[in-house]
Each structure stands twice: as structure tokens, then as C-alpha cells.
Amino acid sequence: MRSAVPLLVLAGCYTGNFQNLASSFVGTRAQVGCLDVAISLTDDAIAPPPIVAYELGNRCGHQTIVDFSAVHVFATGADGARVELRAYDPKTELRPMQLDAYTSGDERIAYRSPWPSPPAVVCVDLSGLDHDHPTPTKPTCLGADAGGPL
């Protein structure tokens, strides 16, 4: 199983409006502090689902601290039970990291599920993602039962 790769290894210019120089962000969009964020569920050849893909850009004229360890992810199983999911991070790589002004980055994080099959719904609370500017947000739910792809 792969662990999460530290964010911002592949940082680039951020042009705003949920797009970088190469493409538009894919997924459900939200604004958290200085960050424009899009999230979606994705697959991986090695890590089991659920895997959340994050694309983000800093629209502010100053650096901000991105903290994936402050993101809360929970799932709803087929039986309706809600369980908090923890990021698969055996090397403790998820920690607050700097994102410079007008730059973008992306991250894929696998979350451990207690169920043998992927959960029906995965919800992501991004409220604490911008460490410097926490912003209360409603959790974004993804998955077939949430009206999105799983």
C-alpha cells in the first residue's frame, strides 16, 4: 500500500477560477480561506479505495499553510453507519506545508475503510485545510449514493 505523497511537490502557477496553466480542476469545488479546492474520488493501482484527489490553488497574494491533517473524512456504509476515516500515512508525511501565492498543487490521499468493499458515500470536511484561515464549510459528500462518482 502506498502512503500519501507530500503536497506541493508538483506545485505550479495558479491562474484562478479553479484552473492552473494546464487544465481546470476536476471535482466538486469549494473555497476555504485563500484556497480554491476541487475534490473527487479516484482509483489507484496499489492503494484500495477510498482515495480522495485534491486539486488546489492559492488565490491570495501571500503564502498560506495547507494542512491535510486537519481535513476530516467520514464514510457511510451500505447499512447507513457513519465512520470517521483516517488517512493512510505510515511515514507521517501529512503535515502543514506552505503553498506560495498564486501557485497550485494536487494530492491524492488513501483513507482506511473498515469495510471490505468501498463505502457508499465519502464525505470530506475541508474547514481546516487552510491552516492560516480556517473556514467553516459544509462537508462535501462524494459517491454513487451522494450523486457523484465512486
Side-chain angles (χ1 to χ4, degrees):
M1 209 182 240
R2 264 182 11 191
S3 67
V5 176
L7 170 72
L8 312 178
V9 172
L10 300 173
C13 276
Y14 183 58
T15 60
N17 298 318
F18 296 94
Q19 62 185 23
N20 56 33
L21 291 175
S23 63
S24 294
F25 292 179
V26 175
T28 303
R29 296 173 176 181
Q31 290 185 322
V32 182
C34 284
L35 300 174
D36 291 337
V37 185
I39 60 171
S40 60
L41 294 176
T42 190
D43 293 323
D44 185 272
I46 300 171
I51 300 168
V52 178
Y54 300 85
E55 291 185 86
L56 55 133
N58 180 358
R59 69 179 175 285
C60 291
H62 55 79
Q63 75 177 22
T64 193
I65 303 298
V66 178
D67 188 359
F68 281 105
S69 64
V71 171
H72 295 282
V73 177
F74 57 93
T76 303
D79 63 355
R82 180 176 154 170
V83 175
E84 179 117 9
L85 302 180
R86 302 227 182 268
Y88 181 71
D89 187 22
K91 297 180 182 176
T92 317
E93 296 172 304
L94 290 180
R95 62 188 180 283
M97 297 186 79
Q98 176 180 315
L99 182 61
D100 290 333
Y102 309 119
T103 58
S104 64
D106 63 298
E107 180 68 300
R108 293 170 16 130
I109 301 175
Y111 292 89
R112 291 193 172 203
S113 171
W115 302 293
S117 59
V121 176
V122 175
C123 299
V124 182
D125 181 353
L126 298 167
S127 299
L129 183 61
D130 184 335
H131 186 268
D132 298 328
H133 308 97
T135 306
T137 60
K138 180 180 175 183
T140 300
C141 295
L142 308 166
D145 292 347
L150 182 63

